[in-house]
Amino acid sequence: EDKVVQSPLSLVVHEGDTVTLNCSYEVTNFRSLLWYKQEKKAPTFLFMLTSSGIEKKSGRLSSILDKKELFSILNITATQTGDSAIYLCAVEDGTSGSRLTFGEGTQLTVNP
Amino acid sequence: DADVTQTPRNRITKTGKRIMLECSQTKGHDRMYWYRQDPGLGLRLIYYSFDVKDINKGEISDGYSVSRQAQAKFSLSLESAIPNQTALYFCATGTGVMETQYFGPGTRLLVL
C-alpha cells in the first residue's frame, strides 16, 4: 500500500522567515510527486517532480526530489501572510493506473 | 468560468437520507475522482473513473456509489447517509500519466 507522510503537521512562523516542508513516501511504482497548496477552497497545483536533484522553482517557492531516499522538500523563502495554507504532497503510482496518494498535509500559518 | 464545478457547495442532511453530489468538468479529461477530506487525515480517495465505462473503488468506497454519466460528469451518491460521512468532498479531473489533478471547489456535507 502506498504511503505519504508529511512533516511537520503544523507550523507557525513570522513573515520573512524561511520554511521547509517535508514529504516522505513509499510507493510501488513511482511516477511523480506533486505539491499542492490548499487555502480555504480546493487544492491548487504547485509542482510536479519526476527526477532526483532537479529543483523546481516558482517565485519564492522551490521544491526538490530525492528518489534514492524517497523524500521531497518544499521551501518557501521570505514568507508572507498569503502563504498561510495547507500544503499537500501526493505521489503517483504507475501500478494503480496513475492514481495519487495524498499525505495529511502541513498547515502553515504565517503571522505578520 | 471554473473548469471543475461541484453542486451543491453545502448540504445538510439527516441520517438515512439518500444524497447525490454532482461534478462537471470542461477540461476534456477522461479521468475523474472523488475524494473526501477530514481534519488530520488528508485527502482520501473514494472512487475514480478513467473513462465513461471504467469505475474503480478507492480506499474508502464503503457507503458510497458513483455514476459516470458522460465524460464530463461524475456523480457521487450516499445511499443512506450516516454522521461519520460528514466531511468536505472534492471532485477532481486528471491528465493521465505524469498526472496533474485539478480540483473542484468542494462540497461541505453535514449529516445530522
Side-chain angles (χ1 to χ4, degrees):
Chain A
E1 184 179 328
D2 299 339
K3 189 176 178 182
V4 178
V5 178
Q6 292 185 243
S7 64
L9 293 181
S10 66
L11 187 57
V12 181
V13 300
H14 292 289
E15 271 191 317
D17 288 350
T18 293
V19 299
T20 298
L21 309 183
N22 303 293
C23 175
S24 63
Y25 62 89
E26 297 173 18
V27 64
T28 304
N29 180 13
F30 178 87
R31 274 229 173 107
S32 66
L33 183 144
L34 299 97
W35 284 97
Y36 289 85
K37 178 182 181 182
Q38 184 178 19
E39 297 171 269
K40 292 181 181 176
K41 48 190 176 184
T44 54
F45 172 77
L46 292 175
F47 298 112
M48 174 187 283
L49 303 158
T50 57
S51 301
S52 280
I54 298 176
E55 186 182 54
K56 293 279 183 94
K57 199 168 172 63
S58 176
R60 296 175 293 102
L61 277 67
S62 63
S63 184
I64 198 161
L65 174 68
D66 186 327
K67 289 167 72 173
K68 182 179 177 185
E69 299 297 330
L70 307 182
F71 78 91
S72 174
I73 60 172
L74 175 68
N75 277 321
I76 308 175
T77 59
T79 52
Q80 302 171 357
T81 55
D83 294 327
S84 296
I86 297 172
Y87 290 84
L88 294 166
C89 174
V91 290
E92 178 188 6
D93 184 343
T95 305
S96 310
S98 298
R99 279 167 34 195
L100 296 183
T101 299
F102 285 83
E104 293 179 21
T106 294
Q107 172 74 63
L108 174 65
T109 302
V110 182
N111 291 324
Chain B
D1 286 340
D3 294 317
V4 185
T5 57
Q6 291 182 234
T7 57
R9 294 294 310 279
N10 293 280
R11 181 71 184 266
I12 300 173
T13 191
K14 293 183 179 179
T15 297
K17 294 290 187 183
R18 183 178 188 276
I19 182 169
M20 179 181 287
L21 309 183
E22 300 190 354
C23 176
S24 296
Q25 54 120 342
T26 58
K27 297 193 76 69
H29 292 158
D30 287 327
R31 299 182 175 207
M32 296 187 74
Y33 304 81
W34 276 104
Y35 294 93
R36 64 177 280 177
Q37 188 174 36
D38 300 274
L41 293 176
L43 283 163
R44 292 183 293 165
L45 183 63
I46 306 172
Y47 270 95
Y48 62 104
S49 169
F50 283 175
D51 64 43
V52 174
K53 296 180 181 179
D54 177 75
I55 303 288
N56 304 281
K57 291 183 177 181
E59 61 181 299
I60 54 162
S61 59
D62 288 348
Y64 302 93
S65 62
V66 290
S67 173
R68 185 80 185 267
Q69 301 94 324
Q71 187 207 37
K73 294 186 182 296
F74 192 36
S75 301
L76 176 72
S77 293
L78 287 67
E79 298 300 326
S80 179
I82 56 177
N84 78 1
Q85 291 178 312
T86 293
L88 183 58
Y89 289 85
F90 286 106
C91 173
T93 70
T95 57
V97 176
M98 300 301 181
E99 172 126 314
T100 299
Q101 292 190 3
Y102 298 87
F103 287 81
T107 295
R108 195 168 292 279
L109 176 65
L110 173 62
V111 182
L112 300 175

